[in-house]
Amino acid sequence: MKKKISYNYNKIEAKWQQRWLKDKIYSPDFLVSNNKFYNLYMFPYPSAEGLHAGHAFSSTGSDVFGRFMRMKGKKVFQPMGYDSFGIHPENYAIKTGEQPQTMLSRTIPHFTEQFKSLGHGYDWSKSLTTSDLNYYKWTQWLFVEMFKAGLAYRKKMEVNFCPSCKTVLADEQVMTPAQAGKDPKKIDGSPVENPEETKVCERCGTVVEKRDLEQWLFRITDYADRLLKGLSKINWPEKIKTAQKNWIGKKEGINITYSIKKANKTITVWTSRPDTNFGATFIVVAPEYVQKNLVRLISSDRSKKVEEYIKSSLNRSKDDRMSEGREKTGVFTGLFAINQLNGNKMPIWVSDFVLMDVGTGAVVGVPGHDKRDFAFAKKFDLPVVRVVMGSDHDKSDITRISQVQEEEGIMVNSEFLNGLDIHKATQKMMGYLEQRGWGKRVTSYHLRDWLISRQRYWGPPIPMIYCESCAKSKRSYFTEMTSLPAEATVEVDRSNDWDHFGWYPEENLPVELPEIEDYKPEGKGRGPLANHPEFYKVVCPKCKEAARRETDVSDTFLDSSWYFLRYPSVGVSRLPWDVEITRKWLPTDLYFGGAEHAVLHLMYARFVTMVLHDLKYLEFEEPFPKLYAHGLLIKDGSKMSKSRGNVINPDLYIEKFGADALRLYLMFLGPMDATSDFRDTGIEGMKRFVDRLMNTFTLKTTNRDSSEVISKLHKTVKKVTEDLAEFRYNTSIAATMELVNIIREKGSISKLAKEILVKLIAPFAPHLAEEVWVNVLGNSYSIHTSRWPKHDKNAIKEKTIEIVVQVNGKFRGTVVVNANDVKNKDFVIESAKNDKSVAKWLEEKEAKKIVFVPGKIINFVIF
Ligand SMILES: [Zn+2]
Ligand SMILES: [Zn+2]
């Protein structure tokens, strides 16, 4: 019986979407946790009218994996929500001229409809929106917890300020023009002088300014080492781990202090390689260093030359001073420092390649083992001493300098260090210098504290209260704070803390964000709420005097730092998350998202989780043990943007081709972690495949498949299973296409094979698969809770055939070839020639004639 299906994609897709939702097949039981799989997708900013194709691309990638896991027997939880507070949606509301609330009440439902129309398996009963009172109440609670733990503080500081967004930005939110996707040579029409040093706003690409403002900060630096150490325990792409590692930027080194000869003064240098200090032959200081510390020591006959040099170098830019290729310049100050290790006199030079704000502004010159020092020594004819032997050096010739700055090596010419490798020598030297009081170990970090306050409207009001009366009488909530357990805290300087304020009592949370008309930022260093006394005038909860509420709101990255904790507990009202559910369902099993959040969201969420762990709220300290970073979707070879007019609206494609065709097409474009190029011609081709696929299921059903189909079927099961586990979606689809072609050549197929085929396609084309499973093959609903097929090892074993080999008509041996190669004459000839027992009869002679009976005999006639 052959029935041709008329397949109305839109109708069938909508039908199953409603049925899945009604039957809650994507809602797991949160009281059971065995075999759980928490499949998290980085939730979007609803800061546009709807999803763009990039969302469709990445969310489909996440959904395919969730569906695969569900069919593998996992209880999958896949939630979706909206990062709706903060600068991104607020800027969009300003653009559309609406209140953010009004804008979001339109865009969020549209986003949801779109996610549903893509057929994703979300548990919509657990959706969340960060600007909901029920959510941000807990974001405020988190702030209070941070404060009580001594991890939130207020400080006047120089901050990055975006004049366009009219707000401060965290260090992580400013970047070079190139990193922000801007032309590094030109911003807003005006040329950029130093693209490497220019910093722009992550959000809008405007060049940031520096301003002095009072700010709230979180002590993420207390957790620098933990954040670093934890990286070795998590399964993340190397490039993201490296980005975090570099951002934390831990450097271990030592400050060595040398005395200056004939002067009652010392000079301190920072170095990470004190092991080479027996090879130190000079000191170089920054021009600013001379001005600050050495001017009075320089003899009058030299001072003019030094002053001139300083003057000219201060006119140069940092980049210029640091640039590697530039010829080194410098002037001898006439001063000497003494290397205590060997009593050597080291001349002190001034040179502009040393910067005042790097280390101490003074460096020790070890020209034998540092390229820059070597160039300097060559230029000014300073001695070069070799103290490390790399693997490529001959010990007998230690004066030869063919290479400097070894990664590995053994110490020489260094007394008590001789024979040690450089790493052991470094540690030994640090200990030695410290013991004698000549040096002190220092660890420096690039990471700065997380700037958390924003002078904007659209965010959770920071739940703090300032009371002058309490401040005067030195009363403070701060003294009542519960502290972190001792082992969790690091010694830090807390002298900046101002302790005369209190937090809003937790039981009174939330501090509701009032609806105000004038919500646009003014850029005056305070948020729009500061214009609303009805908001900020309060009674001090401690002394009942008049007090003032904080009018800044918190950074949007605080909202997203804990949303994954809330999802399974959506609906719980007395706590941010249910203890039991959290113990069972967290941490997440897979986090699917973009690499652009490497040092922003992904770092903040790890920090917040570690703090909550230390406060005994969570049992784990890494929120995302496995992370997959998807690639970028472009259109017709270029980045999608409104100005190019090449932005894809997924709705149009779903309407025209169906969600299944769109999903298959997006996943077929290329490796999931690479850049994929969307082309209209491509999706048309995929639509033809979907039609072909659909008709494969209505082919005549046979009792038994041919051995070729059986073998291909099981090979495909094996390949798709392996590929899906590694996110190789494109090759999974390609393998399934090959299988479909072979089946269609045969013209008929068994029911079992149809069932296996439809399961293989189910993660990619969930609607088509369900329709076929239930209405064509007559199986019980739902395919998405059915079991993933297993391949039969015997079926994919290659069948082999033995062929008799004759020379001049006499039996001389046999060769065994795969069944597929039986008809391949050249291949069989080669195999026979390579057989030892046959070869000796061929005597390396060219055959005059070869008789080939496929699958049976090959006869070489050589006389
Ligand atoms: Zn901006
Ligand atoms: Zn008070």
Side-chain angles (χ1 to χ4, degrees):
M1 176 195 76
K2 186 173 175 177
K3 67 173 178 189
K4 190 94 174 172
I5 304 180
S6 73
Y7 189 66
N8 181 333
Y9 295 100
N10 292 321
K11 211 171 140 194
I12 287 172
E13 288 178 354
K15 175 183 78 178
W16 289 117
Q17 283 159 17
Q18 282 159 20
R19 174 92 187 263
W20 293 330
L21 210 62
K22 188 176 123 264
D23 295 346
K24 295 192 187 327
I25 71 164
Y26 304 127
S27 303
D29 180 353
F30 288 97
L31 299 176
V32 186
S33 64
N34 64 317
N35 251 341
K36 66 102 183 173
F37 193 85
Y38 185 168
N39 191 36
L40 183 69
Y41 171 74
M42 238 173 236
F43 66 167
Y45 299 120
S47 54
E49 286 307 314
L51 290 182
H52 56 71
H55 290 130
F57 170 68
S58 53
S59 64
T60 302
S62 163
D63 184 60
V64 166
F65 201 84
R67 291 181 177 282
F68 175 56
M69 285 291 115
R70 189 178 291 108
M71 291 177 78
K72 294 278 275 180
K74 295 279 185 188
K75 297 185 180 76
V76 177
F77 174 50
Q78 200 171 293
M80 179 51 66
Y82 302 100
D83 200 357
S84 55
F85 247 157
I87 196 163
H88 305 78
E90 189 177 15
N91 282 359
Y92 186 65
I94 291 171
K95 208 173 135 194
T96 61
E98 291 165 288
Q99 288 287 312
Q101 294 91 332
T102 316
M103 185 273 290
L104 290 171
S105 66
R106 184 181 67 252
T107 58
I108 288 179
H110 185 215
F111 269 69
T112 302
E113 279 317 304
Q114 288 180 301
F115 276 128
K116 284 179 181 168
S117 71
L118 280 162
H120 294 341
Y122 296 132
D123 180 351
W124 286 106
S125 68
K126 297 288 183 184
S127 185
L128 62 81
T129 303
T130 55
S131 57
D132 271 356
L133 197 59
N134 283 332
Y135 183 87
Y136 76 74
K137 165 182 177 173
W138 299 114
T139 307
Q140 292 176 331
W141 168 85
L142 180 59
F143 189 100
V144 171
E145 286 298 311
M146 287 281 181
F147 179 72
K148 282 158 62 179
L151 292 169
Y153 65 101
R154 198 167 159 84
K155 186 184 172 186
K156 187 161 190 165
M157 60 184 296
E158 192 191 68
V159 293
N160 304 301
F161 187 89
C162 173
S164 167
C165 295
K166 298 195 170 83
T167 187
V168 299
L169 300 166
D171 273 358
E172 290 81 358
Q173 290 160 336
V174 299
M175 42 196 60
T176 63
Q179 286 166 331
K182 289 263 164 177
D183 180 355
K185 299 238 165 60
K186 216 169 169 189
I187 294 178
D188 304 329
S190 36
V192 178
E193 273 185 31
N194 292 310
E196 273 311 301
E197 274 195 44
T198 303
K199 292 288 188 294
V200 299
C201 169
E202 168 245 352
R203 173 68 198 143
C204 70
T206 307
V207 177
V208 299
E209 297 167 357
K210 294 282 181 192
R211 289 209 186 168
D212 273 325
L213 290 172
E214 278 241 339
Q215 300 295 332
W216 282 101
L217 295 111
F218 280 173
R219 291 187 203 283
I220 191 172
T221 52
D222 276 21
Y223 282 74
D225 278 321
R226 289 266 290 284
L227 289 164
L228 211 50
K229 233 185 251 164
L231 290 174
S232 62
K233 290 183 275 182
I234 52 182
N235 181 3
W236 283 21
E238 265 328 299
K239 63 172 177 179
I240 297 191
K241 285 201 208 180
T242 305
Q244 289 209 350
K245 209 174 153 189
N246 291 343
W247 187 260
I248 294 166
K250 181 176 183 172
K251 272 196 203 153
E252 273 175 324
I254 188 163
N255 280 341
I256 307 177
T257 301
Y258 304 108
S259 51
I260 298 176
K261 200 169 180 255
K262 290 183 187 160
N264 190 16
K265 224 168 159 35
T266 59
I267 190 162
T268 300
V269 303
W270 181 87
T271 173
S272 61
R273 291 291 308 277
D275 55 316
T276 59
N277 223 250
F278 280 104
T281 56
F282 57 93
I283 301 272
V284 194
V285 299
E288 298 91 334
Y289 189 97
V290 179
Q291 287 182 318
K292 213 175 151 199
N293 302 302
L294 303 179
V295 167
R296 265 184 273 155
L297 305 180
I298 297 173
S299 63
S300 52
D301 55 321
R302 288 185 182 273
S303 63
K304 194 163 177 249
K305 218 176 153 193
V306 172
E307 264 168 43
E308 270 168 16
Y309 179 77
I310 291 172
K311 214 176 143 194
S312 77
S313 41
L314 292 183
N315 286 329
R316 294 180 184 280
S317 75
K318 259 190 205 175
D319 270 1
D320 186 22
R321 284 171 59 173
M322 294 282 284
S323 77
E324 287 241 341
R326 208 182 116 233
E327 199 178 340
K328 297 282 173 282
T329 59
V331 174
F332 178 43
T333 61
L335 303 168
F336 290 90
I338 306 297
N339 188 351
Q340 309 91 325
L341 292 169
N342 48 19
N344 282 355
K345 281 200 317 185
M346 303 182 289
I348 301 174
W349 284 67
V350 52
S351 175
D352 58 7
F353 77 81
V354 180
L355 299 181
M356 192 61 196
D357 52 8
V358 177
T360 58
V363 300
V364 58
V366 186
H369 307 285
D370 181 280
K371 286 183 180 143
R372 215 179 41 176
D373 294 352
F374 183 69
F376 194 80
K378 281 281 153 204
K379 173 82 191 282
F380 296 106
D381 207 17
L382 294 160
V384 178
V385 177
R386 189 154 198 96
V387 291
V388 177
M389 297 311 299
S391 55
D392 58 331
H393 284 275
D394 179 357
K395 273 187 185 170
S396 62
D397 181 17
I398 61 167
T399 54
R400 183 171 61 95
I401 302 288
S402 56
Q403 170 222 355
V404 288
Q405 234 160 296
E406 297 83 354
E407 297 287 317
E408 294 296 334
I410 301 294
M411 304 308 301
V412 294
N413 289 342
S414 298
E415 300 182 14
F416 60 91
L417 298 180
N418 286 344
L420 292 177
D421 78 64
I422 58 173
H423 310 288
K424 284 200 183 110
T426 301
Q427 289 309 316
K428 189 164 183 181
M429 179 63 101
M430 287 200 192
Y432 185 87
L433 292 170
E434 277 196 326
Q435 247 176 30
R436 281 158 187 75
W438 297 340
K440 192 170 183 343
R441 279 182 169 90
V442 275
T443 307
S444 67
Y445 297 87
H446 173 261
L447 185 71
R448 294 284 167 268
D449 277 339
W450 176 10
L451 196 135
I452 206 84
S453 45
R454 294 291 178 275
Q455 291 75 49
R456 301 274 301 211
Y457 165 66
W458 193 236
I462 290 175
M464 303 299 286
I465 287 171
Y466 304 81
C467 173
E468 266 183 54
S469 147
C470 284
K472 272 182 202 145
S473 56
K474 304 244 178 218
R475 270 194 305 262
S476 166
Y477 288 176
F478 197 74
T479 52
E480 294 163 20
M481 77 176 194
T482 57
S483 195
L484 285 171
E487 70 272 14
T489 49
V490 193
E491 246 185 85
V492 283
D493 173 21
R494 303 207 193 275
S495 55
N496 282 320
D497 289 4
W498 180 34
D499 58 1
H500 303 306
F501 41 62
W503 66 90
Y504 197 71
E506 290 112 297
E507 59 273 22
N508 296 347
L509 289 175
V511 176
E512 199 171 337
L513 180 70
E515 265 199 53
I516 57 170
E517 285 292 318
D518 52 338
Y519 75 89
K520 284 182 203 163
E522 298 170 305
K524 288 179 183 161
R526 45 178 222 172
L529 291 175
N531 297 327
H532 289 263
E534 75 282 9
F535 172 77
Y536 65 74
K537 280 190 174 170
V538 285
V539 169
C540 170
K542 182 88 175 168
C543 70
K544 312 294 177 201
E545 294 286 319
R548 191 172 63 82
R549 209 193 274 294
E550 170 65 70
T551 53
D552 283 357
V553 298
S554 56
D555 179 14
T556 176
F557 284 106
L558 184 60
D559 304 325
S560 57
S561 71
W562 73 282
Y563 78 114
F564 51 92
L565 297 171
R566 180 68 182 167
Y567 272 141
S569 297
V570 164
V572 173
S573 58
R574 286 187 315 107
L575 293 164
W577 51 84
D578 180 90
V579 176
E580 203 48 30
I581 291 174
T582 304
R583 204 172 55 76
K584 286 182 167 148
W585 280 81
L586 277 130
T588 58
D589 294 281
L590 172 66
Y591 198 10
F592 205 95
E596 70 273 20
H597 292 289
V599 298
L600 293 156
H601 163 62
L602 288 172
M603 181 93 89
Y604 296 141
R606 291 184 63 217
F607 162 61
V608 165
T609 305
M610 284 174 184
V611 172
L612 290 169
H613 169 83
D614 291 344
L615 294 172
K616 307 265 186 272
Y617 287 114
L618 298 174
E619 288 175 12
F620 54 93
E621 61 168 32
E622 287 292 348
F624 318 124
K626 182 169 169 66
L627 174 75
Y628 184 81
H630 61 75
L632 187 73
L633 186 69
I634 58 172
K635 177 86 199 294
D636 300 322
S638 47
K639 220 177 152 182
M640 275 182 256
S641 72
K642 286 205 183 95
S643 57
R644 283 200 184 91
N646 64 347
V647 176
I648 304 170
N649 179 352
D651 297 2
L652 304 177
Y653 291 88
I654 292 174
E655 211 183 299
K656 193 166 171 196
F657 301 103
D660 285 337
L662 178 62
R663 291 171 60 109
L664 275 162
Y665 178 61
L666 290 170
M667 297 300 96
F668 187 58
L669 280 171
M672 192 69 218
D673 55 358
T675 298
S676 292
D677 192 2
F678 191 106
R679 287 173 195 270
D680 288 355
T681 48
I683 188 164
E684 281 159 17
M686 186 54 83
K687 176 64 169 54
R688 285 193 293 276
F689 168 70
V690 171
D691 290 339
R692 257 199 329 275
L693 176 66
M694 199 60 206
N695 287 321
T696 308
F697 295 108
T698 56
L699 288 175
K700 193 173 146 223
T701 307
T702 57
N703 287 330
R704 233 187 94 77
D705 293 299
S706 70
S707 58
E708 194 189 348
V709 168
I710 292 174
S711 162
K712 186 69 188 175
L713 183 69
H714 287 277
K715 272 187 202 161
T716 311
V717 170
K718 183 168 186 280
K719 177 160 179 60
V720 172
T721 307
E722 287 167 1
D723 283 0
L724 278 179
E726 299 293 329
F727 308 92
R728 291 191 299 262
Y729 300 152
N730 58 331
T731 54
S732 304
I733 296 169
T736 311
M737 286 173 164
E738 278 180 35
L739 173 64
V740 168
N741 286 342
I742 285 178
I743 292 169
R744 290 175 64 83
E745 271 174 31
K746 298 283 163 198
S748 63
I749 174 181
S750 71
K751 180 161 191 269
L752 182 69
K754 284 181 181 174
E755 287 177 354
I756 292 177
L757 173 62
V758 75
K759 283 182 181 181
L760 294 183
I761 210 75
F764 297 103
H767 314 87
L768 178 151
E770 191 78 285
E771 181 68 18
V772 168
W773 182 252
V774 177
N775 289 334
V776 179
L777 303 177
N779 289 307
S780 61
Y781 166 87
S782 158
I783 188 171
H784 301 299
T785 49
S786 76
R787 278 312 174 94
W788 187 254
K790 282 200 173 87
H791 73 270
D792 177 354
K793 275 186 200 146
N794 291 322
I796 60 174
K797 251 190 211 151
E798 294 281 356
K799 286 227 171 65
T800 55
I801 286 172
E802 199 179 44
I803 295 169
V804 170
V805 186
Q806 297 177 336
V807 179
N808 294 337
K810 286 193 181 126
F811 176 84
R812 295 304 183 199
T814 58
V815 286
V816 178
V817 296
N818 284 337
N820 293 342
D821 296 323
V822 150
K823 289 176 190 163
N824 184 341
K825 191 174 171 185
D826 292 341
F827 181 80
V828 177
I829 291 171
E830 272 312 298
S831 309
K833 279 184 180 170
N834 288 334
D835 186 273
K836 267 189 194 160
S837 54
V838 175
K840 67 180 179 194
W841 293 101
L842 289 174
E843 298 165 4
E844 293 180 10
K845 281 181 193 157
E846 211 38 60
K848 289 197 175 94
K849 195 180 158 197
I850 297 171
V851 182
F852 178 64
V853 185
K856 294 213 163 74
I857 287 178
I858 184 153
N859 182 14
F860 294 91
V861 182
I862 58 169
F863 51 64

